[in-house]
Amino acid sequence: ETGVTQTPRHLVMGMTNKKSLKCEQHLGHNAMYWYKQSAKKPLELMFVYSLEERVENNSVPSRFSPECPNSSHLFLHLHTLQPEDSALYLCASSQGQGGGTEAFFGQGTRLTVV
Amino acid sequence: AQTVTQSQPEMSVQEAETVTLSCTYDTSESNYYLFWYKQPPSRQMILVIRQEAYKQQNATENRFSVNFQKAAKSFSLKISDSQLGDTAMYFCAFMTRETSGSRLTFGEGTQLTVNP
């Protein structure tokens, strides 16, 4: 198993659909993150979970709903998305306490909203 | 708020030659970390090298080295003896030391192509 695994790798959904992205980390880390990577834009931090508690929400629309049931799993629930939400969604994890450690990323989910 | 700027959207280099990617950042923090990440076509974001702001010595990792100029807020990446596998998007990233996780601020990226 690789360190951080994301499923699915590709997702096409309509604007009225509900879907979920899944992230799993096998590194024993206690912090997990969702980033959005759009074309021609820097990666944007969406959510931060530390010790399963959401500690940051960077003004993300409510149509994105994260869930962290335990320290190894992170979900991003999607509903009534817009075409501009099409992007690569990257999950990452790190050993958060004490800070200063690098984040390990998954391979991302390529989301297309039609 | 921190910002990271990469002024070179695309660069190319011949195999075995040396190339330098530029990065500047803006912050009022004194204690922070800087990173270079590589994203090949597989989309996996891979850490290339990291630098701690309190260390004056430039970080080196095999063929990769940085030129960290703290006063100028500059953090460039030098790749020596470029290889075809170095072809990727390179991102400069900034992180403050916080107790509850690694919040990275990324630049827009530089697409590097290594030509045979």
Side-chain angles (χ1 to χ4, degrees), chain A residues 65-87:
Chain A
S65 175
E67 179 190 2
C68 188
N70 55 61
S71 60
S72 299
H73 294 86
L74 183 66
F75 295 90
L76 188 62
H77 303 301
L78 316 171
H79 64 99
T80 59
L81 294 191
Q82 304 298 310
E84 59 264 31
D85 297 323
S86 297

Side-chain angles (χ1 to χ4, degrees), chain A residues 33 37 56 101-102 105 107, chain B residues 37 39 44 50 102-103:
Chain A
Y33 315 81
Q37 185 177 18
E56 187 158 332
T101 61
E102 54 265 31
F105 286 82
Q107 289 184 290
Chain B
Y37 277 89
Q39 188 180 37
Q44 182 84 52
R50 63 176 256 171
S102 307
R103 293 160 175 76

Side-chain angles (χ1 to χ4, degrees), chain A residues 9-10 33 35 37 42-43 45 50 55-56 88 90 94 96-103 105-108 110, chain B residues 33 35 37 39 42-45 47 50 52 91 95-108:
Chain A
R9 291 293 306 277
H10 301 271
Y33 315 81
Y35 285 87
Q37 185 177 18
L43 279 80
L45 178 62
S50 178
V55 296
E56 187 158 332
L88 180 67
L90 290 165
S94 73
Q97 288 299 312
T101 61
E102 54 265 31
F105 286 82
Q107 289 184 290
R110 173 72 65 189
Chain B
Y33 294 80
F35 303 88
Y37 277 89
Q39 188 180 37
S42 68
R43 306 187 321 218
Q44 182 84 52
M45 196 75 78
L47 179 67
R50 63 176 256 171
E52 294 156 0
F91 293 95
M95 186 186 78
T96 57
R97 285 200 64 152
E98 297 187 41
T99 58
S100 60
S102 307
R103 293 160 175 76
L104 291 162
T105 300
F106 284 88
E108 293 183 349

